[in-house]
Amino acid sequence: MTTTLAPVFAALGDDTRWAVLARLGEGPASASALARELPVSRQAIVKHLEVLVAAGLVESERRGREVVHRALGGRLSDVARELDRIGRTWDARLARIKALAEE
Amino acid sequence: MTTTLAPVFAALGDDTRWAVLARLGEGPASASALARELPVSRQAIVKHLEVLVAAGLVESERRGREVVHRALGGRLSDVARELDRIGRTWDARLARIKALAEE
DNA sequence: ACGTGGTGCAACCACCGAGTTGCACAGGCG
DNA sequence: CGCCTGTGCAACTCGGTGGTTGCACCACGT
């Protein structure tokens, strides 16, 4: 269920998307609200939100006539754990190779 | 020292780059070697390596007539720690807001 | 009922980046 | 010395995507 983390990084690779995430990290907001606070159109925000939702980083909920979005920190922590695991594996392999060569 | 993690995510957002990293995670290799094992040209590999080096995820060293590259797992772990920290912050804020609204 | 603010949908543009090919240069090895 | 392999540099193509504008629709408040 480690839903490939590639899409997550693809999502995190854009500055505007980070701005959106950072803002949502402060608290839930609607697309229009975000468009007001950021230097891009609402449509652009909407597209970014779609990407973020697809990556599992944001959750959306219809609330009356507006749609409220909130950042999912848990997902980010999951990715972090996975990343750390991979990093350690690399270093471990490298150490083994190095030890093998030193004799 | 938190060397902006933005470039790291930009680097990790590409599938081919992950393939290169995964391969380097198995052990050091030259650009030509990588080009042989992956379905892309050597030049493409070279460009990806430049990006990865810029992101601090790969280290290169000239070894005779070839250049050997190796993955830096430590960097990955650093990014992971940072990510986890951010994720927890978001969730903490969200919890506070929720608690505030429930009374 | 009517106006307003929020969403959804579609067409469109511009640029960046992934990938390629071609060629010149450098360093081992017979 | 000559050959072969690996690297470096440059020009070029092409698709994806971040961004925009315009319009239709829906829900809430007065």
Side-chain angles (χ1 to χ4, degrees):
Chain A
M1 211 63 24
T2 42
T3 49
T4 53
L5 44 171
V8 176
F9 293 120
L12 261 42
D14 183 75
D15 288 337
T16 304
R17 224 127 53 200
W18 262 109
V20 170
L21 272 176
R23 172 56 187 80
L24 287 183
E26 305 282 335
S30 72
S32 296
L34 289 168
R36 262 180 252 119
E37 302 176 27
L38 296 176
V40 285
S41 72
R42 176 181 61 90
Q43 295 304 331
I45 299 280
V46 170
K47 287 190 187 177
H48 285 308
L49 285 172
E50 284 172 4
V51 175
L52 291 171
V53 168
L57 291 167
V58 164
E59 194 181 39
S60 303
E61 181 197 357
R62 177 138 228 148
R63 192 82 183 255
R65 80 173 149 183
E66 63 181 18
V67 179
V68 175
H69 311 272
R70 60 181 152 284
L72 298 177
R75 170 74 171 155
L76 214 56
S77 296
D78 290 346
V79 172
R81 256 185 295 284
E82 195 67 16
L83 260 195
D84 183 59
R85 216 204 74 234
I86 296 175
R88 289 181 190 283
T89 304
W90 291 352
D91 278 356
R93 284 243 180 80
L94 206 54
R96 267 191 54 208
I97 295 178
K98 201 170 189 177
L100 212 83
E102 279 180 6
E103 41 97 291
Chain B
M1 207 66 26
T2 43
T3 50
T4 54
L5 45 169
V8 177
F9 296 126
L12 261 43
D14 184 77
D15 288 336
T16 304
R17 225 126 53 200
W18 265 110
V20 171
L21 273 176
R23 171 57 187 80
L24 287 182
E26 306 283 336
S30 72
S32 296
L34 289 168
R36 262 180 253 118
E37 303 177 28
L38 296 176
V40 285
S41 73
R42 177 181 60 90
Q43 294 305 330
I45 299 280
V46 170
K47 287 189 187 178
H48 284 308
L49 285 173
E50 285 172 4
V51 175
L52 291 171
V53 168
L57 292 167
V58 165
E59 195 181 37
S60 303
E61 181 196 356
R62 175 136 229 150
R63 193 81 186 253
R65 81 171 151 184
E66 61 183 19
V67 179
V68 175
H69 311 272
R70 61 181 150 283
L72 298 178
R75 172 76 171 152
L76 214 57
S77 295
D78 290 346
V79 172
R81 257 185 295 284
E82 196 67 17
L83 261 193
D84 183 59
R85 216 204 73 232
I86 296 176
R88 289 180 191 282
T89 304
W90 292 352
D91 279 356
R93 284 242 179 82
L94 207 55
R96 266 190 54 207
I97 294 178
K98 201 170 189 176
L100 212 84
E102 280 182 4
E103 41 96 290

